[in-house]
Amino acid sequence: MSGCALNEKEFFSCCQLLLQQSEHLRDGWSWEAVQGSEEGYLRKTVLRSVLADCYDAQKQKETASDSVSPVSAHPIQELQQQERTQPVVATRFHSDGIIGNDGDEDDAVCVLSEGSSHVLQYEYHILYSCSYSAPVLYFRAFTLEGRSLTLEDVWSSVHPNFRHCLQNSPLTAITQQEHPLLGQPFFMLHPCRTEEFMRPVLQEAQEQPRPVNYVLLWLSVVGPVVGLDVPLKYCTQLHPSSLQRSASDLMSSTVETGVRRFARKTCK
Amino acid sequence: MSDTAESPTETQKEETQPPSDDSTTNDEKKKIDVLLKAVGDTPIMKTKKWAVDRGRTVQSLSQFISRFLKLDANEQLFIYVNQSFAPSPDQEVGVLFDCFGSDGKLVLHYCKSQAWG
């Protein structure tokens, strides 16, 4: 099946471009190479302060609104208080608001009072999937003490805009997988539909033609789904009206190569 | 400006906007002109030009378009700027207009997809 697929070489090029922009913007991405080869992945760590609230899935449908911000890298976001129908399952930590271990609970979890806040460390990896010829987003989250979060906790970082659709297919959208290179458990945003949602936009861009960084475009779409912010500046740097001409010129010349490669492919 | 329709109405939370029939009110109300273009198989909106409050978020606009197009619950709508980037759902359209607007309007592409699972 032909389509707007991404081969590994292109993945590498797109990642390097993204990396250059990231360094310019101080957005924190780094390239982790595998055994000195071109194979590798992009990596970024984000500290996030969140309210200790575990969302009940059904509640989100009617309460998602512009004013509700999920976890972000900014200081504590005010979240709508949700009526908890089940105990909050979270990891233990030492900060204000902790109630402490309930005797009936597993030793590794505790019940958190609503309104308490804590800092989490999110780690995002962008790998290449040969099976799907697409980038794949892996991520995991820890407390500062090193306890990993559960999938249930992670749901709270999914932007309300996407929660509804994702919940319709929770088993396939965000799954727990072994990291292909590190062999450790990560959450993964399943790539089976990536080409499907990338194709229309890529085709449209090719008809222009307009330079597009596949990985950046993909990341801007999937990032917010898992609480990862992709600053608008990644795009404004490339805009002709941008004041940062030097960065713009650099991007245009190198991305054009990628555009020509895409243009040669048949996108049906 | 005869093509410009009234501002998109929000959910029941926001009061219905009166029709903006006068271009001079745009500045006072701080609205920007948005041109919505469909991508791929996505249905084309009959009304493509909208006057949108600057403070409106991408998510809000996305919800509006989804309702307007009567998308299924499992269909996700994506909005793109510059045909190369999906702005954050919390991004304000006013900021997008400042960065990418030309000829007095912001062109946004939208695309529906069953992107998950």
Side-chain angles (χ1 to χ4, degrees):
Chain A
M1 178 178 87
S2 66
C4 296
L6 182 77
N7 68 43
E8 195 156 6
K9 251 183 136 46
E10 288 160 341
F11 171 75
F12 180 79
S13 302
C14 288
C15 286
Q16 297 311 308
L17 287 174
L18 199 155
L19 200 56
Q20 285 174 10
Q21 281 190 285
S22 171
E23 281 164 9
H24 189 84
L25 296 171
R26 291 191 201 148
D27 193 38
W29 287 98
S30 64
W31 178 258
E32 307 293 322
V34 175
Q35 295 171 348
S37 69
E38 269 198 0
E39 192 185 357
Y41 57 96
L42 282 173
R43 179 176 179 271
K44 177 176 173 179
T45 302
V46 177
L47 285 181
R48 185 165 283 138
S49 177
V50 301
L51 287 181
D53 224 357
C54 182
Y55 285 165
D56 179 41
Q58 283 82 26
K59 295 285 181 189
Q60 299 319 305
K61 285 181 196 170
E62 62 262 20
T63 57
S65 74
D66 283 354
S67 62
V68 176
S69 288
V71 300
S72 81
H74 301 291
I76 300 158
Q77 296 287 322
E78 285 299 318
L79 300 176
Q80 283 188 353
Q81 290 299 314
Q82 300 295 327
E83 186 187 325
R84 263 189 273 138
T85 58
Q86 56 199 17
V88 174
V89 175
T91 54
R92 192 190 334 186
F93 62 93
H94 306 293
S95 75
D96 294 338
I98 190 174
I99 287 176
N101 262 351
D102 186 341
D104 297 330
E105 301 284 348
D106 179 16
D107 190 43
V109 302
C110 66
V111 177
L112 305 171
S113 63
E114 285 191 18
S116 65
S117 66
H118 53 282
V119 176
L120 301 176
Q121 178 175 295
Y122 276 77
E123 197 179 327
Y124 298 96
H125 293 197
I126 302 175
L127 276 76
Y128 178 73
S129 164
C130 298
S131 319
Y132 293 97
S133 296
V136 190
L137 187 63
Y138 287 81
F139 64 101
R140 59 183 175 182
F142 298 101
T143 65
L144 293 184
E145 284 73 28
R147 301 266 191 178
S148 54
L149 295 199
T150 64
L151 182 55
E152 206 170 77
D153 298 321
V154 157
W155 272 112
S156 69
S157 70
V158 175
H159 196 282
N161 197 38
F162 303 104
R163 239 176 242 150
H164 186 67
C165 283
L166 276 167
Q167 278 152 14
N168 286 338
S169 52
L171 295 179
T172 51
I174 298 180
T175 60
Q176 205 149 17
Q177 294 275 328
E178 188 179 285
H179 191 288
L181 298 173
L182 302 179
Q184 293 163 19
F186 272 72
F187 298 114
M188 178 193 78
L189 197 59
H190 208 281
C192 58
R193 300 280 189 135
T194 296
E195 196 194 328
E196 198 177 303
F197 70 76
M198 290 292 290
R199 195 186 317 130
V201 188
L202 286 172
Q203 283 178 334
E204 194 94 4
Q206 283 169 22
E207 282 161 18
Q208 290 274 315
R210 176 184 298 278
V212 174
N213 182 329
Y214 187 114
V215 175
L216 178 61
L217 170 61
W218 162 84
L219 188 63
S220 70
V221 173
V222 301
V225 179
V226 294
L228 173 64
D229 181 46
V230 183
L232 191 66
K233 284 215 164 94
Y234 276 102
C235 188
T236 56
Q237 273 188 338
L238 296 173
H239 198 256
S241 66
S242 164
L243 295 173
Q244 295 159 329
R245 289 303 299 179
S246 56
S248 174
D249 291 337
L250 170 70
M251 295 310 295
S252 298
S253 61
T254 42
V255 170
E256 261 173 38
T257 318
V259 171
R260 281 199 289 276
R261 275 204 289 268
F262 278 126
R264 270 192 240 117
K265 284 187 177 177
T266 310
C267 278
K268 293 272 155 68
Chain B
M1 291 292 255
S2 56
D3 283 342
T4 308
E6 66 185 27
S7 308
T9 52
E10 181 51 295
T11 60
Q12 55 272 19
K13 289 199 183 111
E14 256 183 51
E15 41 188 294
T16 309
Q17 299 276 350
S20 56
D21 52 359
D22 190 335
S23 58
T24 58
T25 61
N26 276 0
D27 286 335
E28 291 158 14
K29 291 181 189 173
K30 292 194 168 72
K31 286 181 191 289
I32 52 134
D33 289 336
V34 175
L35 179 63
L36 296 174
K37 289 190 170 180
V39 173
D41 296 335
T42 314
I44 300 171
M45 293 174 79
K46 274 188 179 168
T47 307
K48 298 183 185 56
K49 282 194 199 172
W50 296 86
V52 182
D53 287 329
R54 284 186 63 92
R56 193 93 176 230
T57 63
V58 167
Q59 176 186 356
S60 165
L61 193 59
S62 175
Q63 283 170 354
F64 168 75
I65 299 171
S66 299
R67 280 197 298 274
F68 196 95
L69 297 177
K70 296 186 173 58
L71 295 189
D72 291 338
N74 58 351
E75 287 176 308
Q76 182 74 54
L77 190 86
F78 298 111
I79 289 184
Y80 299 95
V81 71
N82 211 28
Q83 280 177 270
S84 59
F85 191 85
S88 159
D90 300 324
Q91 188 65 258
E92 292 181 1
V93 295
V95 174
L96 296 181
F97 178 82
D98 294 339
C99 295
F100 303 102
S102 63
D103 297 329
K105 65 181 183 297
L106 171 69
V107 177
L108 292 178
H109 287 77
Y110 62 92
C111 183
K112 73 161 185 175
S113 171
Q114 291 183 315
W116 316 117

